[in-house]
Amino acid sequence: MVKIAERIIPRKILDKYRSFPVTLRAAFWFTVCNFVLKGISFICMPIYATFLSEEEYGTMSLITSYELIFNIFATFELYLGAYQRGLLKYKDDTKNFEQTIVFISNILTVICFFIFMLLSKPISGFTGVTTALYSILSVYFLVYTPYNCWLNKKRFEYDYKAAVIVTILMALVSNLAPMITIQIFGATAYVKVISTLVIQIIFCLPFWIKHINFANVFRNKARTINYIKYALRFQGPLVFHSLSYYVLNQSDRIMIEKFSGSKADVAFYSVAYSFASVIIIFQNSLNQVLKPWRFQKLDKKGYKDVRDISNVLVILVGAVIVMFMLLLPEVFLIFPDSYQEGLKVAPPVTIGVYFLFLYTLFVDVESYYGKTEYIAYVSTFCALLNIGLNYIGIKMFGYIACAYTTLICYAIMSFMHFVFMQITCKKAHVEESPVDAKSIWGFSLIMLAVFGITNVFYDSIIVRYLMVAGIITAVIIFRKKIISSWKMIRSK
């Protein structure tokens, strides 16, 4: 592979790439991987929209939403925060720690399975998830945790090659194979969802088998109890954050179906939201690179560097988001004509992602100074607010109201975290602010103004393309500033 790369890619570029620290190379490849995964989903989305009716596509989106919520209860998402932090805390005993995490997760999955079976009638009636489907979901939850432990350990070790290959391969097969099964067994949401789950179970099964030796878990009870206490104490509060976050992101689709009574509306909204998730991947990947850099600067009291880079990134991310929003009407042409209705929810949902990016700037500061409880407070409040606004909005304006409630809740969430960040800094006796409040909120007002103008002229291709040309021109003019900011991040 190395020799092939040397023949295709100029040596100068390869040498430059090899000079990057392994952390940056890993971040680059995981970012590429995330975009490839989303690219595969995007390629498949219009195909499934053609195979499935609007109602079946909406049902598929709803089941996916419930799957994410069920996963929180069935696994506590122990493979995330608790496991990642535990790799450092128990670095001399990672094998036994991993097996304990998988063991606890599996116990939670079994408990949730029995609870679902006892309450299957009301739960199935509300969610539409049948006992047969939840049984398959439970098997998936059992094997999903060890796979994610392996994946997160690879990320922790910056061993990106195996992780990227396995992840992309699984995404390809689990997205493409259901196209065959729905041709054989029928074009329904359940056939698509079940076939996807079965394929993912097959991929994850070897990782579960690797951790199935629970004898080690019982061999040293004191050690195991210590690991269990740590994991539940660490992850317990974050369960409320995760649940609130997913409710904030997924409740829209659930409430649209319940109050509008149309699964087709769910399909239209889901397609628009899926496009916006591309920007979420972009900003999440960007934050993966920036987070350690930001922590190091805060540790050295380099507040000015943090402020300067944050200002540049806010403008850059804002420009990318506006560009994406302006070009979405052309992208939507790949879908059947009936889905064009969903385009009207794209602008507010996309601008909402900008405020989601702002939230990460403030949360990182809170996390650095150990005030993670603020994250749960804000997430819970915004999730409840989102549900209330959706309830009122859907009844008055239809499903399009959910796009605006999402924007409002993301903006409020960002502002609340900004306030909590200031409180955190005051308690930590931080002498300078890590963010430039006037610049950030001033630019946020500009973003809202652009959103308003775009909404008015969204049907005018001339106005949209003039705005795109203006953004490209601005990037060219300020390219030196952008490049110098990138070099600062690289140099750490």
Side-chain angles (χ1 to χ4, degrees):
M1 289 292 290
V2 175
K3 290 182 178 179
I4 294 173
E6 287 177 347
R7 290 175 185 173
I8 299 173
I9 305 171
R11 187 175 183 83
K12 186 178 180 180
I13 296 176
L14 275 176
D15 290 341
K16 188 74 173 177
Y17 167 78
R18 289 165 181 161
S19 69
F20 291 164
V22 67
T23 52
L24 194 59
R25 292 201 301 265
F28 169 76
W29 283 111
F30 281 123
T31 301
V32 170
C33 180
N34 287 338
F35 275 105
V36 169
L37 295 181
K38 184 52 67 175
I40 293 170
S41 297
F42 276 157
I43 292 170
C44 294
M45 256 201 315
I47 298 174
Y48 283 117
T50 303
F51 287 158
L52 303 174
S53 66
E54 288 90 345
E55 289 75 16
E56 289 295 335
Y57 195 98
T59 301
M60 180 185 72
S61 299
L62 285 169
I63 293 172
T64 302
S65 298
Y66 285 121
E67 177 191 325
L68 294 172
I69 295 171
F70 285 141
N71 179 60
I72 296 171
F73 293 107
T75 68
F76 269 30
E77 294 185 319
L78 291 167
Y79 48 81
L80 293 176
Y83 177 73
Q84 291 169 330
R85 181 68 182 85
L87 286 175
L88 283 174
K89 188 177 178 67
Y90 305 110
K91 58 185 176 183
D92 296 327
D93 191 30
T94 55
K95 183 178 179 181
N96 289 318
F97 174 69
E98 285 176 9
Q99 290 178 337
T100 303
I101 290 293
V102 173
F103 173 74
I104 306 168
S105 178
N106 282 185
I107 291 296
L108 290 169
T109 300
V110 172
I111 291 171
C112 285
F113 174 78
F114 283 112
I115 292 174
F116 185 96
M117 292 302 147
L118 287 171
L119 304 172
S120 60
K121 206 165 186 179
I123 296 175
S124 294
F126 183 81
T127 64
V129 176
T130 63
T131 53
L133 177 56
Y134 191 81
S135 299
I136 297 172
L137 274 172
S138 294
V139 177
Y140 171 67
F141 294 148
L142 284 173
V143 300
Y144 185 64
T145 293
Y147 164 73
N148 272 280
C149 285
W150 173 81
L151 189 61
N152 283 319
K153 190 174 183 181
K154 291 295 182 184
R155 286 174 176 159
F156 181 80
E157 296 170 344
Y158 304 113
D159 184 7
Y160 52 86
K161 294 179 183 177
V164 168
I165 291 171
V166 172
T167 303
I168 291 177
L169 184 61
M170 183 166 72
L172 275 170
V173 178
S174 61
N175 274 282
L176 297 177
M179 293 181 188
I180 300 173
T181 58
I182 62 177
Q183 296 296 320
I184 298 172
F185 299 104
T188 69
Y190 283 93
V191 171
K192 195 277 176 188
V193 171
I194 290 173
S195 57
T196 299
L197 286 171
V198 169
I199 291 164
Q200 291 177 335
I201 288 169
I202 293 170
F203 265 91
C204 295
L205 188 60
F207 298 97
W208 184 74
I209 293 172
K210 182 183 176 183
H211 292 85
I212 201 174
N213 184 15
F214 293 145
N216 286 333
V217 175
F218 296 102
R219 195 163 287 141
N220 189 329
K221 292 182 180 179
R223 178 193 62 199
T224 299
I225 291 171
N226 181 43
Y227 289 164
I228 292 174
K229 284 182 177 179
Y230 155 76
L232 295 179
R233 192 181 298 119
F234 187 100
Q235 199 68 23
L238 294 179
V239 169
F240 294 100
H241 164 64
S242 295
L243 185 61
S244 300
Y245 184 81
Y246 279 120
V247 167
L248 181 59
N249 284 280
Q250 304 297 327
S251 64
D252 295 350
R253 275 156 274 201
I254 295 170
M255 295 185 75
I256 288 170
E257 191 266 338
K258 296 300 177 186
F259 293 114
S260 77
S262 172
K263 289 182 179 177
D265 288 348
V266 179
F268 302 147
Y269 184 86
S270 297
V271 167
Y273 196 93
S274 295
F275 279 113
S277 66
V278 172
I279 303 297
I280 295 177
I281 289 175
F282 169 71
Q283 62 102 352
N284 283 343
S285 301
L286 189 62
N287 198 53
Q288 286 176 5
V289 179
L290 286 172
K291 194 170 186 174
W293 177 87
R294 194 176 287 126
F295 279 8
Q296 289 176 7
K297 286 294 180 181
L298 290 172
D299 190 54
K300 297 174 182 177
K301 302 185 186 302
Y303 306 119
K304 185 179 183 302
D305 288 342
V306 175
R307 284 197 304 271
D308 291 345
I309 294 299
S310 295
N311 286 345
V312 173
L313 288 172
V314 164
I315 295 171
L316 183 61
V317 170
V320 171
I321 287 172
V322 172
M323 283 271 288
F324 188 81
M325 178 178 64
L326 293 171
L327 296 173
L328 263 183
E330 282 65 48
V331 179
F332 252 78
L333 294 175
I334 64 177
F335 283 89
D337 291 342
S338 58
Y339 281 82
Q340 300 304 310
E341 183 183 334
L343 185 60
K344 60 188 176 185
V345 307
V349 169
T350 308
I351 291 297
V353 176
Y354 165 77
F355 289 99
L356 195 61
F357 173 73
L358 285 192
Y359 140 87
T360 63
L361 300 180
F362 311 137
V363 163
D364 281 355
V365 178
E366 294 170 50
S367 299
Y368 175 78
Y369 292 108
K371 296 297 181 181
T372 53
E373 65 270 19
Y374 293 154
I375 302 173
Y377 298 157
V378 176
S379 298
T380 303
F381 172 78
C382 289
L384 293 173
L385 178 64
N386 184 250
I387 291 172
L389 291 176
N390 281 344
Y391 177 79
I392 298 169
I394 294 171
K395 289 196 168 186
M396 293 180 65
F397 305 106
Y399 76 93
I400 191 173
C402 289
Y404 288 90
T405 59
T406 298
L407 170 58
I408 292 168
C409 288
Y410 280 160
I412 291 173
M413 183 169 69
S414 293
F415 183 74
M416 288 180 70
H417 275 297
F418 169 72
V419 173
F420 278 121
M421 182 205 70
Q422 288 185 309
I423 295 171
T424 299
C425 290
K426 188 175 181 180
K427 288 183 177 180
H429 305 292
V430 177
E431 297 175 359
E432 298 180 51
S433 175
V435 299
D436 184 347
K438 289 183 179 179
S439 297
I440 286 177
W441 294 116
F443 185 76
S444 298
L445 291 175
I446 294 173
M447 287 290 290
L448 290 174
V450 170
F451 161 65
I453 294 169
T454 304
N455 242 7
V456 173
F457 297 101
Y458 212 43
D459 292 332
S460 173
I461 191 170
I462 296 174
V463 173
R464 285 192 292 107
Y465 275 61
L466 283 173
M467 293 175 73
V468 169
I471 293 171
I472 294 172
T473 302
V475 171
I476 293 171
I477 292 172
F478 295 104
R479 67 187 184 281
K480 291 184 179 179
K481 180 69 175 176
I482 295 170
I483 293 170
S484 65
S485 300
W486 171 248
K487 287 180 178 178
M488 186 187 296
I489 296 169
R490 269 192 55 204
S491 64
K492 297 190 177 185

